[in-house]
Amino acid sequence: IIMNATQDRSKNIEDGGVQEEQPSNDERWSVIWAALIIYWSIDAVTVFFLALGGLIVSIIFKVVLSTGDEENRCDNANTMFIISLVIFFIRMVDMVLGCCTIGCWFCSRSKEINDRQMIPHIINCIIVGTAQCLLSLGNIVLGIIGLVSEGTDCAGSIISIVFAVLLIMDSAFEMFIWIGAYFIRINQDKATIPPIVDRIIPNCLVRWARRTRL
Protein backbone atom coordinates (compact mmCIF):
# COMPACT_ATOMS: atom_id res chain seq x y z
CA ILE A 1 0.00 0.00 0.00
CA ILE A 2 2.81 2.41 0.89
CA MET A 3 4.58 1.60 -2.37
CA ASN A 4 1.41 2.30 -4.39
CA ALA A 5 0.82 5.56 -2.56
CA THR A 6 4.39 6.62 -3.27
CA GLN A 7 3.99 5.79 -6.95
CA ASP A 8 0.72 7.72 -7.17
CA ARG A 9 2.34 10.82 -5.67
CA SER A 10 5.45 10.68 -7.85
CA LYS A 11 5.98 13.28 -10.58
CA ASN A 12 6.92 13.07 -14.24
CA ILE A 13 8.68 16.06 -15.79
CA GLU A 14 7.17 16.76 -19.18
CA ASP A 15 8.30 19.09 -21.94
CA GLY A 16 8.41 22.69 -20.79
CA GLY A 17 9.17 21.79 -17.21
CA VAL A 18 5.52 21.18 -16.26
CA GLN A 19 5.05 18.57 -13.59
CA GLU A 20 2.12 16.18 -13.64
CA GLU A 21 1.18 13.38 -11.30
CA GLN A 22 1.45 9.83 -12.51
CA PRO A 23 -1.96 8.20 -12.98
CA SER A 24 -3.26 6.45 -9.90
CA ASN A 25 -4.45 2.85 -10.04
CA ASP A 26 -8.08 4.01 -10.17
CA GLU A 27 -7.29 6.35 -13.04
CA ARG A 28 -5.64 3.53 -14.96
CA TRP A 29 -8.77 1.46 -14.41
CA SER A 30 -10.86 4.41 -15.63
CA VAL A 31 -9.07 4.26 -18.97
CA ILE A 32 -9.79 0.53 -19.21
CA TRP A 33 -13.47 1.06 -18.37
CA ALA A 34 -13.64 3.79 -21.00
CA ALA A 35 -12.28 1.34 -23.60
CA LEU A 36 -14.88 -1.22 -22.51
CA ILE A 37 -17.66 1.35 -22.84
CA ILE A 38 -16.47 2.28 -26.33
CA TYR A 39 -16.61 -1.43 -27.22
CA TRP A 40 -20.14 -1.60 -25.82
CA SER A 41 -21.24 1.41 -27.88
CA ILE A 42 -19.98 -0.15 -31.11
CA ASP A 43 -21.49 -3.53 -30.21
CA ALA A 44 -24.85 -2.01 -29.22
CA VAL A 45 -25.21 -0.24 -32.57
CA THR A 46 -24.08 -3.34 -34.49
CA VAL A 47 -26.50 -5.66 -32.71
CA PHE A 48 -29.31 -3.12 -33.12
CA PHE A 49 -28.97 -3.35 -36.90
CA LEU A 50 -28.62 -7.14 -36.65
CA ALA A 51 -31.88 -7.28 -34.68
CA LEU A 52 -33.45 -4.93 -37.25
CA GLY A 53 -32.40 -7.31 -40.02
CA GLY A 54 -33.92 -10.23 -38.13
CA LEU A 55 -37.14 -8.28 -37.67
CA ILE A 56 -37.37 -7.41 -41.37
CA VAL A 57 -36.82 -11.05 -42.32
CA SER A 58 -39.51 -12.19 -39.87
CA ILE A 59 -41.94 -9.61 -41.29
CA ILE A 60 -41.34 -10.88 -44.83
CA PHE A 61 -41.63 -14.47 -43.61
CA LYS A 62 -44.90 -13.64 -41.80
CA VAL A 63 -46.46 -11.80 -44.75
CA VAL A 64 -45.43 -14.29 -47.44
CA LEU A 65 -45.85 -17.61 -45.67
CA SER A 66 -48.50 -17.05 -43.02
CA THR A 67 -51.18 -15.46 -45.19
CA GLY A 68 -51.53 -18.16 -47.81
CA ASP A 69 -53.92 -21.06 -47.98
CA GLU A 70 -54.70 -22.81 -44.74
CA GLU A 71 -52.86 -25.89 -45.91
CA ASN A 72 -49.70 -23.98 -46.93
CA ARG A 73 -49.52 -21.66 -43.92
CA CYS A 74 -46.62 -21.71 -41.46
CA ASP A 75 -48.23 -21.53 -38.03
CA ASN A 76 -45.03 -20.48 -36.25
CA ALA A 77 -44.48 -17.38 -38.39
CA ASN A 78 -46.56 -15.09 -36.17
CA THR A 79 -44.82 -16.23 -32.99
CA MET A 80 -41.36 -15.82 -34.54
CA PHE A 81 -42.33 -12.33 -35.65
CA ILE A 82 -43.39 -11.38 -32.11
CA ILE A 83 -40.12 -12.71 -30.66
CA SER A 84 -38.07 -10.82 -33.26
CA LEU A 85 -40.04 -7.66 -32.47
CA VAL A 86 -39.32 -8.04 -28.74
CA ILE A 87 -35.58 -8.54 -29.42
CA PHE A 88 -35.52 -5.44 -31.63
CA PHE A 89 -37.34 -3.38 -29.01
CA ILE A 90 -34.95 -4.48 -26.24
CA ARG A 91 -31.87 -3.65 -28.32
CA MET A 92 -33.31 -0.29 -29.39
CA VAL A 93 -34.08 0.77 -25.80
CA ASP A 94 -30.69 -0.51 -24.64
CA MET A 95 -28.85 1.40 -27.36
CA VAL A 96 -30.70 4.71 -26.93
CA LEU A 97 -30.75 4.83 -23.13
CA GLY A 98 -27.26 3.38 -22.82
CA CYS A 99 -25.71 5.89 -25.24
CA CYS A 100 -27.45 8.80 -23.49
CA THR A 101 -26.20 7.62 -20.09
CA ILE A 102 -22.66 7.09 -21.29
CA GLY A 103 -22.67 10.48 -22.99
CA CYS A 104 -23.52 12.05 -19.63
CA TRP A 105 -20.66 10.14 -17.99
CA PHE A 106 -18.12 11.27 -20.57
CA CYS A 107 -19.12 14.91 -20.15
CA SER A 108 -19.38 14.88 -16.35
CA ARG A 109 -16.84 15.69 -13.69
CA SER A 110 -16.58 13.47 -10.64
CA LYS A 111 -14.34 13.82 -7.61
CA GLU A 112 -14.64 10.19 -6.54
CA ILE A 113 -14.97 6.79 -8.11
CA ASN A 114 -18.70 6.10 -8.28
CA ASP A 115 -19.58 2.40 -8.43
CA ARG A 116 -23.24 3.34 -8.78
CA GLN A 117 -22.47 4.32 -12.36
CA MET A 118 -20.74 1.23 -13.69
CA ILE A 119 -22.28 -1.61 -11.67
CA PRO A 120 -25.92 -1.00 -12.75
CA HIS A 121 -24.79 -0.59 -16.36
CA ILE A 122 -22.89 -3.89 -16.23
CA ILE A 123 -25.88 -5.66 -14.65
CA ASN A 124 -28.17 -4.17 -17.30
CA CYS A 125 -25.90 -5.49 -20.06
CA ILE A 126 -25.96 -8.96 -18.48
CA ILE A 127 -29.77 -8.90 -18.33
CA VAL A 128 -30.08 -7.69 -21.93
CA GLY A 129 -27.63 -10.35 -23.13
CA THR A 130 -29.51 -13.08 -21.27
CA ALA A 131 -32.88 -11.97 -22.68
CA GLN A 132 -31.46 -11.79 -26.21
CA CYS A 133 -29.98 -15.28 -25.87
CA LEU A 134 -33.21 -16.87 -24.57
CA LEU A 135 -35.46 -15.15 -27.11
CA SER A 136 -33.16 -16.04 -30.00
CA LEU A 137 -33.06 -19.63 -28.78
CA GLY A 138 -36.86 -19.60 -28.82
CA ASN A 139 -36.82 -18.46 -32.46
CA ILE A 140 -34.44 -21.27 -33.35
CA VAL A 141 -36.60 -23.88 -31.64
CA LEU A 142 -39.76 -22.59 -33.32
CA GLY A 143 -38.04 -22.48 -36.70
CA ILE A 144 -36.79 -26.05 -36.39
CA ILE A 145 -40.21 -27.28 -35.22
CA GLY A 146 -41.82 -25.56 -38.20
CA LEU A 147 -39.34 -27.11 -40.65
CA VAL A 148 -39.79 -30.57 -39.18
CA SER A 149 -43.59 -30.50 -38.90
CA GLU A 150 -44.55 -28.40 -41.94
CA GLY A 151 -41.59 -28.80 -44.27
CA THR A 152 -41.25 -26.31 -47.13
CA ASP A 153 -44.17 -24.25 -45.84
CA CYS A 154 -41.77 -22.91 -43.18
CA ALA A 155 -38.69 -22.80 -45.41
CA GLY A 156 -38.41 -19.05 -44.84
CA SER A 157 -37.66 -19.69 -41.19
CA ILE A 158 -34.15 -20.81 -42.17
CA ILE A 159 -33.09 -17.16 -42.61
CA SER A 160 -34.66 -16.27 -39.26
CA ILE A 161 -32.70 -19.12 -37.69
CA VAL A 162 -29.48 -17.73 -39.17
CA PHE A 163 -30.14 -14.31 -37.62
CA ALA A 164 -31.05 -15.98 -34.31
CA VAL A 165 -27.77 -17.92 -34.30
CA LEU A 166 -25.83 -14.68 -34.89
CA LEU A 167 -27.69 -13.01 -32.03
CA ILE A 168 -26.94 -15.94 -29.72
CA MET A 169 -23.24 -15.81 -30.61
CA ASP A 170 -23.19 -12.10 -29.86
CA SER A 171 -25.04 -12.47 -26.57
CA ALA A 172 -22.73 -15.30 -25.46
CA PHE A 173 -19.71 -13.08 -26.09
CA GLU A 174 -21.38 -10.17 -24.30
CA MET A 175 -22.17 -12.36 -21.29
CA PHE A 176 -18.55 -13.48 -21.10
CA ILE A 177 -17.33 -9.86 -21.25
CA TRP A 178 -19.82 -8.35 -18.81
CA ILE A 179 -19.78 -11.10 -16.20
CA GLY A 180 -16.01 -10.83 -16.15
CA ALA A 181 -16.27 -7.04 -15.96
CA TYR A 182 -18.64 -7.29 -13.00
CA PHE A 183 -16.27 -9.41 -10.93
CA ILE A 184 -13.32 -7.22 -11.90
CA ARG A 185 -15.23 -4.09 -10.95
CA ILE A 186 -16.21 -5.28 -7.48
CA ASN A 187 -12.60 -6.39 -6.85
CA GLN A 188 -10.96 -3.41 -8.54
CA ASP A 189 -9.35 -2.15 -5.32
CA LYS A 190 -7.52 -5.47 -4.96
CA ALA A 191 -6.15 -5.48 -8.51
CA THR A 192 -3.15 -3.24 -9.18
CA ILE A 193 -2.22 -2.21 -12.70
CA PRO A 194 1.57 -1.85 -13.01
CA PRO A 195 2.78 1.73 -13.66
CA ILE A 196 4.64 0.54 -16.75
CA VAL A 197 1.40 0.80 -18.73
CA ASP A 198 1.54 4.60 -18.27
CA ARG A 199 3.93 4.71 -21.20
CA ILE A 200 1.22 3.59 -23.61
CA ILE A 201 -1.59 5.76 -22.19
CA PRO A 202 -1.84 9.18 -23.91
CA ASN A 203 -1.86 12.17 -21.54
CA CYS A 204 -5.24 13.28 -22.90
CA LEU A 205 -6.79 10.01 -21.71
CA VAL A 206 -5.19 10.42 -18.31
CA ARG A 207 -6.63 13.93 -17.95
CA TRP A 208 -10.03 12.64 -19.05
CA ALA A 209 -9.81 9.77 -16.53
CA ARG A 210 -9.10 12.27 -13.74
CA ARG A 211 -12.17 14.23 -14.72
CA THR A 212 -14.72 11.42 -15.13
CA ARG A 213 -13.31 8.78 -12.75
CA LEU A 214 -15.48 5.91 -13.96
Side-chain angles (χ1 to χ4, degrees):
I1 297 175
I2 295 175
M3 183 180 296
N4 290 337
T6 302
Q7 291 174 349
D8 292 339
R9 289 194 299 265
S10 61
K11 307 286 186 177
N12 279 341
I13 300 179
E14 299 181 343
D15 294 338
V18 178
Q19 291 184 338
E20 185 174 345
E21 288 188 34
Q22 285 185 344
S24 66
N25 189 59
D26 286 335
E27 289 166 350
R28 295 185 188 108
W29 274 113
S30 292
V31 175
I32 293 177
W33 295 123
L36 184 63
I37 287 173
I38 292 172
Y39 148 76
W40 172 86
S41 301
I42 297 173
D43 181 74
V45 174
T46 302
V47 180
F48 167 77
F49 284 107
L50 184 61
L52 177 61
L55 177 63
I56 293 174
V57 168
S58 66
I59 291 175
I60 296 174
F61 176 46
K62 177 178 180 298
V63 171
V64 174
L65 296 179
S66 68
T67 58
D69 297 335
E70 189 69 26
E71 295 181 355
N72 298 324
R73 181 177 301 174
C74 183
D75 295 331
N76 292 336
N78 290 331
T79 306
M80 295 179 69
F81 164 74
I82 293 174
I83 293 177
S84 298
L85 182 62
V86 172
I87 294 175
F88 171 76
F89 180 75
I90 291 174
R91 297 308 313 199
M92 181 182 67
V93 172
D94 177 61
M95 181 186 68
V96 174
L97 295 183
C99 289
C100 291
T101 301
I102 290 172
C104 293
W105 290 355
F106 278 21
C107 297
S108 66
R109 295 177 179 271
S110 179
K111 296 181 180 179
E112 298 179 354
I113 299 295
N114 188 356
D115 284 342
R116 290 177 297 177
Q117 291 184 343
M118 283 298 299
I119 294 296
H121 180 71
I122 292 174
I123 294 175
N124 175 72
C125 289
I126 294 175
I127 294 174
V128 169
T130 302
Q132 175 180 313
C133 182
L134 294 176
L135 291 170
S136 299
L137 182 61
N139 255 353
I140 292 176
V141 172
L142 288 173
I144 293 176
I145 291 175
L147 289 172
V148 172
S149 62
E150 303 179 39
T152 56
D153 292 340
C154 289
S157 63
I158 295 176
I159 302 178
S160 296
I161 291 174
V162 171
F163 275 94
V165 170
L166 293 175
L167 289 170
I168 286 181
M169 292 173 60
D170 173 80
S171 61
F173 183 73
E174 282 191 35
M175 294 283 287
F176 174 78
I177 293 293
W178 291 113
I179 291 176
Y182 175 79
F183 285 104
I184 292 174
R185 182 66 176 186
I186 62 178
N187 295 289
Q188 178 175 320
D189 294 337
K190 302 176 184 178
T192 303
I193 299 178
I196 193 173
V197 301
D198 296 344
R199 300 178 181 178
I200 61 175
I201 301 177
N203 290 332
C204 60
L205 291 182
V206 174
R207 289 191 293 269
W208 174 84
R210 289 194 175 115
R211 185 183 68 182
T212 57
R213 300 181 69 82
L214 292 176

